[in-house]
C-alpha cells in the first residue's frame, strides 16, 4: 500500500473498532464483529481514499478556473475577478447562482438522452481523477494500463456532447454536436500516436513506470519534444478550449451543444470541462515533465502541482493570444500537420530504443 492507503487504513481500523465497541455495549456482538472484520475496514479505507482524491481533484479544478480568470484579466489589462480574497470566492458565488436557478427543459427534447448526456460527461470526467497519481504516496490505484484507460475515458466526452446536442433538438446544439464529432475524428489519432513514443521508450502503460523511467534517464519533453507539442495541441482540442472550442462557439452558436441546458446542469457541465482540463494537463506532466520528479526540498505532490499550474498557464496564454479556427482549419491541422509530426516523433522514439538510449 502507498502512504495514502496506509494512513487511511489506520483511521478506518480505529473507526471500526469504535463502532464495534458501541455495538458490544448494546450486546450486539455479531454486528460488532462484522464491523471489526478486515473486509469492512478495507471498504472504508478505499471509500475514504476515493473521497480524498476526488475532493483534491475538485479543488484543483476550481483553482484552475480562478487561475484562468486572473491570468486572462492580466492579459487583457484588467484585474479579473475581485470577489473575496484575491478573487477566490467568485467560483463559489457562481456555483451558488447556478444551484438556485430554475432548470427549464424544452418540450421537444428526447428526454432520456437529454438527461443522460450530462451524467455521462460528468461521470467520465470524475472517473479520470482516480487514475491520476500525484506521487507514489498519493495515488488511488496503480493501473497497469492507466494511460490507455485515461484516454479511453477521454473519448467518451465527445460522444456525450454529440448525443446531448442531438437530443436537445435545436439547430445550434446539433451543429455543436457535429463539430465535436469532427474534432474527435481529427485529433484522437494524432493524440494517441503522440503517446506511442512514450510507450515505446518505457515499455509500459503505467504512469508509475513512465515517471520512474524519466527519473532514471531524462524528462521525455527533451527526446519527445515533437510528441509533447502534438499532445498539447490535441489535448486542447479534446477539452474544447480556444482556439478549438467549435462545439461551444458562443459567438455564433449561442453556447453550442449545451444551449438548452440550464441551472446546475449547465454549471456542472462547465465544471466538467475544467476537470477534463485538469486531467489533460496532469497527464502531460506525467508523460513529459517527469511527474512529481524534483529536488527533495519540496514534497513530490507540490512539484506535481507546480508543473500542472505552469502547463495550464500555457493553455491560458494560448487562449488569450489566438482566435477560434474554422472547421476546415481544424481538420487540416489535425490530419495535415499533427499526424505527420506524430509519426516523425514515433520514428525518433523507435530509433532511440533500438540505439539503446532507453
Amino acid at each position: 500500500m502507498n502512504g495514502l492507503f496506509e494512513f487511511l487504513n489506520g483511521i478506518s481500523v480505529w473507526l471500526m473498532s469504535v463502532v464495534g465497541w458501541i455495538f458490544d455495549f448494546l450486546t450486539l456482538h455479531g454486528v460488532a464483529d462484522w464491523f471489526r472484520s478486515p473486509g469492512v475496514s478495507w471498504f472504508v479505507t478505499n471509500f475514504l481514499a476515493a473521497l480524498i482524491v476526488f475532493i483534491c481533484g475538485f479543488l484543483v479544478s476550481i483553482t484552475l478556473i480562478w487561475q484562468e480568470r486572473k491570468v486572462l484579466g492580466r492579459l487583457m489589462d484588467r484585474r479579473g475577478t475581485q470577489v473575496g480574497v484575491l478573487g477566490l470566492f467568485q467560483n463559489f458565488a457562481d456555483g451558488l447562482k447556478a444551484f438556485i436557478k430554475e432548470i427549464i427543459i424544452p418540450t421537444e427534447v428526447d428526454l432520456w438522452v437529454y438527461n443522460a448526456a450530462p451524467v455521462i460527461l460528468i461521470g467520465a470526467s470524475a472517473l479520470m481523477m482516480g487514475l491520476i497519481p500525484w506521487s507514489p504516496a498519493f495515488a488511488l490505484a496503480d493501473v497497469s494500463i492507466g494511460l490507455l484507460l485515461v484516454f479511453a475515458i477521454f473519448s467518451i466526452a465527445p460522444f456525450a456532447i454529440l448525443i446531448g446536442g442531438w437530443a436537445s433538438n435545436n439547430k445550434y446544439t446539433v451543429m455543436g454536436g457535429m463539430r465535436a464529432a469532427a474534432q474527435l475524428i481529427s485529433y484522437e489519432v494524432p493524440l494517441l500516436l503522440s503517446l506511442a513514443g512514450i510507450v515505446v521508450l518505457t515499455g509500459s502503460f503505467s504512469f508509475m513506470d513512465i515517471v520512474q523511467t524519466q527519473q532514471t534517464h531524462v524528462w521525455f519533453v527533451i527526446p519527445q519534444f515533437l510528441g509533447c507539442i502534438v499532445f498539447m495541441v490535441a489535448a486542447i482540442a479534446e477539452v474544447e478550449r480556444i482556439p478549438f472550442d467549435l462545439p461551444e462557439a458562443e459567438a455564433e452558436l449561442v453556447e453550442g451543444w449545451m444551449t438548452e441546458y440550464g441551472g446546475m446542469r449547465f454549471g456542472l457541465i462547465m465544471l466538467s470541462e475544467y476537470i477534463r482540463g485538469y486531467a489533460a494537463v496532469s497527464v502531460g506532466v506525467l508523460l513529459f515533465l517527469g511527474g512529481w520528479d524534483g529536488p527533495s526540498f519540496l514534497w513530490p505532490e507540490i512539484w506535481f502541482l507546480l508543473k500542472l499550474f505552469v502547463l495550464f498557464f500555457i493553455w491560458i496564454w494560448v487562449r488569450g493570444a489566438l482566435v477560434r479556427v474554422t472547421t476546415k482549419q481544424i481538420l487540416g491541422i489535425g490530419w495535415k500537420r499533427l499526424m505527420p509530426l506524430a509519426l516523425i516523433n514515433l520514428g525518433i522514439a523507435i530509433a532511440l530504443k533500438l540505439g539503446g538510449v532507453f
Side-chain angles (χ1 to χ4, degrees), residues 256-307:
W257 73 274
M258 65 179 80
T259 299
E260 301 294 356
Y261 289 97
M264 198 58 189
R265 292 183 182 181
F266 177 82
L268 290 174
I269 290 172
M270 293 299 295
L271 177 61
S272 71
E273 292 191 2
Y274 282 91
I275 295 176
R276 290 164 58 211
Y278 154 73
V281 293
S282 297
V283 171
V285 170
L286 293 169
L287 296 184
F288 298 102
L289 299 181
W292 50 84
D293 185 33
S296 59
F297 62 85
L298 286 179
W299 292 349
E301 296 83 4
I302 301 299
W303 282 118
F304 177 82
L305 290 176
L306 288 176
K307 296 176 184 178

Side-chain angles (χ1 to χ4, degrees), residues 103 105 109-122 163-164 167-168 261 265:
I103 297 177
I105 302 177
V109 302
D110 187 334
L111 188 60
W112 190 91
V113 182
Y114 173 85
N115 291 326
V119 174
I120 295 172
L121 181 64
I122 297 164
I163 65 173
S168 295
Y261 289 97
R265 292 183 182 181

Side-chain angles (χ1 to χ4, degrees), residues 183-238:
Q183 284 193 196
L184 169 65
I185 296 172
S186 300
Y187 285 84
E188 281 286 342
V189 177
L191 179 65
L192 294 177
L193 279 177
S194 70
L195 308 177
I198 303 293
V199 177
V200 169
L201 295 179
T202 59
S204 174
F205 290 104
S206 169
F207 288 122
M208 295 291 185
D209 294 339
I210 292 171
V211 174
Q212 185 178 7
T213 303
Q214 295 178 82
Q215 289 175 327
T216 56
H217 292 82
V218 66
W219 292 0
F220 286 144
V221 69
I222 297 175
Q224 292 284 279
F225 180 74
L226 288 179
C228 182
I229 297 298
V230 173
F231 173 85
M232 291 292 289
V233 175
I236 292 175
E238 283 291 312

